[in-house]
Amino acid sequence: MRTFAIPGSLVLVFGTAVAPAVQAADGKAVYERTCVACHASGVANAPKFGDKAAWAPRIATGKDALFTSVTKGKGAMPPRAGAADLKDEDIKAAIDYMTAAVK
Ligand code: HEC
């Protein structure tokens, strides 16, 4: 019977292959972590989650405008909703989640 030494590099390559894939932006999770604080109850006139009348005129301005409002801040909403670690994709996913709820 013969034994083979497994080169360290082979182990490393295998380890990389089985590492969990990076998760795609999850709008619901971002909303529930960051946006819910103001948008669930409508703090400081934030358009409430699920309130069609409050969202319709904002959605009419287009997704790009909504995205800019969140990244730059608008009214009582701080830039990036106060969460500097949010990636652009996270913000877009959260906006998609919130606007999908009022379609
Ligand atoms: C500190 C409270 C607060 C948090 C947290 C917050 N918002 Fe807001 N948001 C507001 C307020 C207030 C407005 C209304 C701003 C205005 O029109 O004066 C608003 C408006 C918006 C609008 C409409 C912008 C427009 O152009 O009319 C979007 C889209 C939005 N928020 C998305 C988000 C998302 C996505 C998150 C989480 C990542 C979030 N908000 C977190 C307070 C908040």
Side-chain angles (χ1 to χ4, degrees):
M1 192 163 78
R2 288 195 283 176
T3 51
F4 294 95
I6 299 167
S9 59
L10 186 65
V11 174
L12 275 179
V13 168
F14 182 69
T16 306
V18 297
V22 175
Q23 283 212 315
D26 179 346
K28 185 169 187 277
V30 174
Y31 169 78
E32 284 171 356
R33 197 176 61 226
T34 307
C35 324
V36 75
C38 298
H39 286 277
S41 57
V43 170
N45 290 323
K48 262 200 219 180
F49 186 81
D51 183 340
K52 284 191 187 186
W55 278 101
R58 297 178 189 270
I59 290 171
T61 64
K63 262 190 191 176
D64 288 350
L66 298 182
F67 176 68
T68 303
S69 295
V70 181
T71 51
K72 296 207 166 129
K74 185 174 185 189
M77 179 163 60
R80 301 195 94 77
D85 62 321
L86 281 184
K87 295 195 215 70
D88 286 358
E89 305 88 84
D90 294 335
I91 291 174
K92 282 182 185 158
I95 294 172
D96 283 347
Y97 175 69
M98 289 162 82
T99 54
V102 288
K103 264 183 193 148

